[in-house]
């Protein structure tokens, strides 16, 4: 009976492999990230070992032994995915869960990013969970290359990998330093991956990640607001102000952008412009967000209490990049 069940599992369809191999000309040459370090994965400790490999590539000098207390659960004799992601964030890195497609995984590896994957090397009703690191592939040969178990270079047929990966619900993640985006990153999932850095108070890493996001998605409101919040948390109020101004300019209907801009303007002493921005936030969403009304009331109280012409004001020169862009736009308009 066991043999028949195993045979049935092997006979299951492999649609992603078939699709990828049918388009093998996309990567006609083998790809292998030979510089990815290798840590032998002892019994039940594949999680810390696999995670250490990716963190080393992402610039974190850490060993599997250092990660064991963070991710290994003795009661489960293994590591949960949520613990793996949290450990990466604690190191100031951005773990990005990939879309569940083999093409996405291969694209990341081809871009120089090793991929952490979860496999079930057993059966659906008798699982044997295992973490491995994809470091290469050879599509003409239909093979994938893994750092897995005690093997630094474990070569497996693509179809076999897909079956074991599918039992793990196609879970795969890349872990990158702040400021470097996955090749296949999508705006909303990527920004969702950055937000936890703020909760951990990795403000510098968060701001670098938001800046990188804006290079790829220049109109992203969430990235602009996140960048402003990160600068503000670091005491960089002028940088925060310009991030919020950019958000308000690109998204004039965003009450949050106007409210945040008003808050920073007030702290920099520009109370009159702060009042205008706060009033706009109230006009947009005052009924839904009482905090916006509170911001406006606070600014008006400061105006009433300040002596005419005596309000200290901090000057925030316009960033050079924005200045150049503005001049270019004016010249284009003249033409």
């Amino acid at each position: 009976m066991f043999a028949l069940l195993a045979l049935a599992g092997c006979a299951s369809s492999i649609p992603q492999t078939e699709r990828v191999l049918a388009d093998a000309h996309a990567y006609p040459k083998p790809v292998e990230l030979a510089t990815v370090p290798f840590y032998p994965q002892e019994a039940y400790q594949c999680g810390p070992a696999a995670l250490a490999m990716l963190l080393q590539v992402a610039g974190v000098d850490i060993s599997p032994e250092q990660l064991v207390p963070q991710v290994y659960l003795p009661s489960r004799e293994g590591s949960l995915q949520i613990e793996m992601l949290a450990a990466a964030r604690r190191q100031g890195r951005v773990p990005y869960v990939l879309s569940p497609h083999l093409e996405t995984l291969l694209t990341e590896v081809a871009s120089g990013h090793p991929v952490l994957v979860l496999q079930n090397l057993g059966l659906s009703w008798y699982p044997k969970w295992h973490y491995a690191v994809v470091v290469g592939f050879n599509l003409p040969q239909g093979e994938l290359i893994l750092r897995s178990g005690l093997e630094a270079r474990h070569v497996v047929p693509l179809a076999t990998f897909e079956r074991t990966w599918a039992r793990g619900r196609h879970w795969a993640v890349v872990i990158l330093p702040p400021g470097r985006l996955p090749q296949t990153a999508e705006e909303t999932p990527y920004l969702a991956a950055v937000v936890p850095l703020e909760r951990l108070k990795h403000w510098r890493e968060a701001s670098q990640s938001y800046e990188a996001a804006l290079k790829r998605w220049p109109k992203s409101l969430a990235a602009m607001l996140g960048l402003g919040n990160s600068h503000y948390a670091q005491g960089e109020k002028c940088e925060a102000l310009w991030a919020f101004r950019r958000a308000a300019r690109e998204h004039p209907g965003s009450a949050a952008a106007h409210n945040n801009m008003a808050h920073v303007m007030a702290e920099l002493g520009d109370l009159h412009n702060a009042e205008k921005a706060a009033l706009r936030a109230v006009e947009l969403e005052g009924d839904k967000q009482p905090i916006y009304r509170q911001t406006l009331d606070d600014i008006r109280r400061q105006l009433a209490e300040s002596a005419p012409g005596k309000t200290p004001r901090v000057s925030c020169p316009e960033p050079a990049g924005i200045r150049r862009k503005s001049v270019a736009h004016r010249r284009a308009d003249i033409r």
Side-chain angles (χ1 to χ4, degrees):
M1 179 179 177
F2 179 84
L4 288 173
L5 288 171
L7 183 61
C10 292
S12 60
S13 63
I14 46 173
Q16 293 201 32
T17 294
E18 293 170 355
R19 187 172 63 243
V20 165
L21 294 181
D23 193 30
H25 66 275
Y27 295 107
K29 296 182 180 179
V31 173
E32 185 168 358
L33 309 179
T35 60
V36 175
F38 172 65
Y39 296 106
Q41 300 174 339
E42 305 298 338
Y44 306 126
Q45 306 242 344
C46 60
L51 181 59
M53 296 182 212
L54 264 71
L55 286 173
Q56 286 280 351
V57 174
V60 180
D61 186 12
I62 197 166
S63 68
E65 291 74 21
Q66 292 172 295
L67 289 168
V68 168
Q70 300 183 44
V71 302
Y72 182 70
L73 303 176
S75 61
R76 292 179 175 265
E77 297 184 335
S79 305
L80 299 179
Q81 294 132 293
I82 189 171
E83 302 295 342
M84 300 279 278
L85 299 178
R89 295 185 185 110
R90 282 194 288 271
Q91 300 301 322
R93 296 301 180 261
V94 181
Y96 180 81
V97 178
L98 302 179
S99 63
H101 304 114
L102 196 52
E103 294 92 338
T104 302
L105 186 155
L106 298 178
T107 298
E108 290 300 332
V109 174
S111 300
H113 305 151
V115 180
L116 175 65
V117 295
L118 177 64
Q119 299 171 275
N120 178 1
L121 302 181
L123 297 171
S124 60
W125 55 275
Y126 191 77
K128 183 181 178 183
W129 300 110
H130 176 69
Y131 289 105
V133 178
V134 183
V135 297
F137 57 87
N138 186 331
L139 291 190
Q141 296 295 323
E143 296 174 340
L144 205 69
I145 306 170
L146 304 168
R147 301 271 191 269
S148 179
L150 300 178
E151 296 185 64
R153 193 175 186 275
H154 178 60
V155 180
V156 61
L158 204 58
T160 301
F161 170 77
E162 184 187 341
R163 291 191 186 97
T164 61
W165 187 42
R167 295 175 196 145
R169 298 186 178 181
H170 300 99
W171 189 83
V173 64
V174 293
I175 298 174
L176 300 177
R180 184 173 179 180
L181 271 66
Q183 184 68 27
T184 61
E186 297 177 2
E187 180 182 348
T188 299
Y190 178 75
L191 295 176
V194 174
V195 168
L197 292 178
E198 297 185 36
R199 292 197 290 268
L200 293 169
K201 298 184 178 180
H202 288 307
W203 301 112
R204 178 61 61 190
E205 291 84 355
S207 62
Q208 292 171 342
S209 300
Y210 288 129
E211 286 172 352
L214 285 169
K215 290 179 181 178
R216 184 173 295 188
W217 306 291
K219 300 291 186 180
S220 173
L221 174 61
M224 294 175 199
L225 294 177
L227 179 60
N229 291 336
S230 299
H231 279 309
Y232 182 81
Q234 296 173 79
E236 300 167 348
K237 294 184 180 179
C238 284
E239 290 81 356
L241 174 61
W242 282 108
F244 294 140
R245 273 185 169 168
R246 178 180 177 181
R249 181 179 66 250
E250 299 288 351
H251 302 272
S254 170
H258 290 283
N259 177 78
N260 291 9
M261 181 171 63
H263 185 80
V264 178
M265 283 177 167
E267 291 194 3
L268 292 172
D270 190 3
L271 293 177
H272 289 286
N273 283 322
E275 182 187 24
K276 294 177 183 177
L279 180 59
R280 182 57 182 151
V282 170
E283 291 172 346
L284 288 168
E285 287 189 19
D287 295 336
K288 299 179 183 178
Q289 297 287 349
I291 189 66
Y292 297 162
R293 171 65 64 178
Q294 183 63 50
T295 300
L296 178 60
D297 291 343
D298 289 344
I299 292 172
R300 284 177 170 170
R301 185 174 62 255
Q302 292 179 60
L303 275 169
E305 294 173 353
S306 62
K310 297 296 183 180
T311 303
R313 180 175 175 180
V314 177
S315 175
C316 289
E318 191 173 26
I322 295 178
R323 259 200 318 272
R324 286 194 296 269
K325 182 177 180 181
S326 299
V327 170
H329 283 178
R330 285 197 295 272
R331 288 175 177 170
D333 291 339
I334 292 173
R335 293 192 191 97

